[in-house]
Amino acid sequence: MVSSPPLPPAIPLDAGFVHWGFVNLSVPNIIVIVAMLVVFVLALVVPFPQDRP
Amino acid sequence: MSAAEEQAGENRSWSSAVVRWVSGLVPRGQWLPDRQPGYVASWIYVFGVSALASLVLVIASGLVLTVGGVTWWHTSSLGHFVNSLHLWSVEFFFATMVIHLWGKFVMASWRGGRGLTWLTGAFSFFVSIGTAFTGYLIQTNFDSQWISTQAKDGLNSTGVGSQFNVMDFGQMVLYHVALLPLGVLVMVGLHVVLVRRRGVVPPFGAEPPAEAGVEAVSGSSEGGVK
């Protein structure tokens, strides 16, 4: 009899959710969105390295 | 046949016509330029090419996944690694593409005859969303079962569910690995060619006189010649 390999541990799916009216966002998604906004603002304000003549 | 006749014959051939057409798509020296205008020296201009780099990784990891199959990641640590690489490259692809979209939106990048560039970018985004959603459907786990039934109800409520079946696993695999990626590549390819053709959009107030004149007539921008 061929035994099947062990299954990987189940991924926890109990992420918290934030409810605001009809808006329903998981905490991981909020973290990603906030991180994108932070990167966007940093891209606008952080000086770009340039070669000195 | 003389050299002049040979030259004339070559110019009349369909292959010469294709070469002339492809060469004329983008101004000479602009396919892979090594210099850019000074205003491009900003981090906000790196997200388009970051999305392109992520797309290369998405396609490469996806091709490796096709070797092992859609259930490979359930039984192999290597398959799990490649599957995760595919997931995270998609995450980076969308994150950088959306930041690219934000940046181009606030600088009104459709200025200066770049409407079609904006449109192909928008279509790239929409087709990419469809491609990513079909990826959710072929995870071969309870998550994909849940998503497919929810998507089925949503799509059927609009009537478009008569054209395809998100619960048809075989159909969704082919959509995800062939049909929709082809759409993404065509749209992204057109977008890149148009960016090279028109150049990177200048900031407000830095438009060349020709572009500023066009905008003054169309009234599409407050920018002018400075």
Side-chain angles (χ1 to χ4, degrees), chain A:
Chain A
M1 179 180 170
V2 178
S3 61
S4 58
L7 292 172
I11 299 168
L13 298 173
D14 54 353
F17 276 78
V18 174
H19 301 271
W20 183 44
F22 65 90
V23 177
N24 188 21
L25 288 170
S26 71
V27 172
N29 272 341
I30 291 174
I31 292 172
V32 169
I33 293 166
V34 170
M36 286 168 63
L37 287 168
V38 168
V39 170
F40 177 61
V41 172
L42 287 176
L44 294 177
V45 298
V46 173
F48 194 79
Q50 297 192 55
D51 293 335
R52 295 182 189 279

Side-chain angles (χ1 to χ4, degrees), chain A residues 5 8 36-37 39-40 43-44 46-50, chain B residues 41-44 46-47 74-75 95 98-99 102-103:
Chain A
M36 286 168 63
L37 287 168
V39 170
F40 177 61
L44 294 177
V46 173
F48 194 79
Q50 297 192 55
Chain B
S42 163
W43 285 110
I44 198 62
V46 307
F47 292 98
H74 291 302
T75 56
V98 169
I99 297 172
W102 291 342

Side-chain angles (χ1 to χ4, degrees), chain B:
Chain B
M1 186 182 288
S2 69
E5 285 170 338
E6 277 184 22
Q7 175 106 19
E10 186 184 332
N11 288 344
R12 279 199 304 269
S13 70
W14 68 268
S15 55
S16 298
V18 169
V19 168
R20 281 197 302 275
W21 179 73
V22 171
S23 307
L25 281 177
V26 170
R28 185 182 294 271
Q30 290 303 307
W31 276 108
L32 288 170
D34 57 358
R35 295 178 67 83
Q36 288 288 340
Y39 52 76
V40 178
S42 163
W43 285 110
I44 198 62
Y45 284 97
V46 307
F47 292 98
V49 80
S50 302
L52 275 180
S54 304
L55 181 60
V56 170
L57 203 53
V58 169
I59 293 170
S61 57
L63 286 173
V64 177
L65 282 177
T66 60
V67 177
V70 288
T71 59
W72 185 32
W73 71 287
H74 291 302
T75 56
S76 157
S77 57
L78 177 63
H80 200 169
F81 172 76
V82 178
N83 195 74
S84 299
L85 200 61
H86 194 61
L87 165 72
W88 283 105
S89 51
V90 169
E91 298 276 355
F92 269 89
F93 174 61
F94 273 96
T96 50
M97 183 164 51
V98 169
I99 297 172
H100 176 65
L101 167 65
W102 291 342
K104 296 303 162 187
F105 179 75
V106 296
M107 64 177 83
S109 296
W110 48 85
R111 289 174 294 140
R114 295 178 179 83
L116 206 55
T117 314
W118 176 265
L119 197 66
T120 51
F123 277 125
S124 302
F125 185 43
F126 294 140
V127 183
S128 299
I129 292 172
T131 313
F133 279 178
T134 51
Y136 281 127
L137 300 176
I138 61 170
Q139 298 174 98
T140 57
N141 59 9
F142 289 131
D143 192 30
S144 54
Q145 288 186 15
W146 170 262
I147 292 169
S148 64
T149 51
Q150 297 298 302
K152 174 260 296 176
D153 289 344
L155 293 166
N156 284 349
S157 70
T158 69
V160 75
S162 61
Q163 302 304 309
F164 56 91
N165 182 5
V166 290
M167 295 185 69
D168 183 339
F169 181 77
Q171 190 182 32
M172 289 306 107
V173 169
L174 291 176
Y175 272 36
H176 184 71
V177 304
L179 191 63
L180 293 172
L182 182 64
V184 172
L185 286 175
V186 168
M187 279 299 140
V188 170
L190 286 172
H191 186 68
V192 171
V193 167
L194 285 166
V195 171
R196 290 290 96 236
R197 184 182 175 89
R198 292 282 183 183
V200 178
V201 69
F204 286 108
E207 300 93 340
E211 283 189 18
V214 169
E215 284 161 9
V217 171
S218 66
S220 63
S221 166
E222 294 176 358
V225 183
K226 297 281 169 73

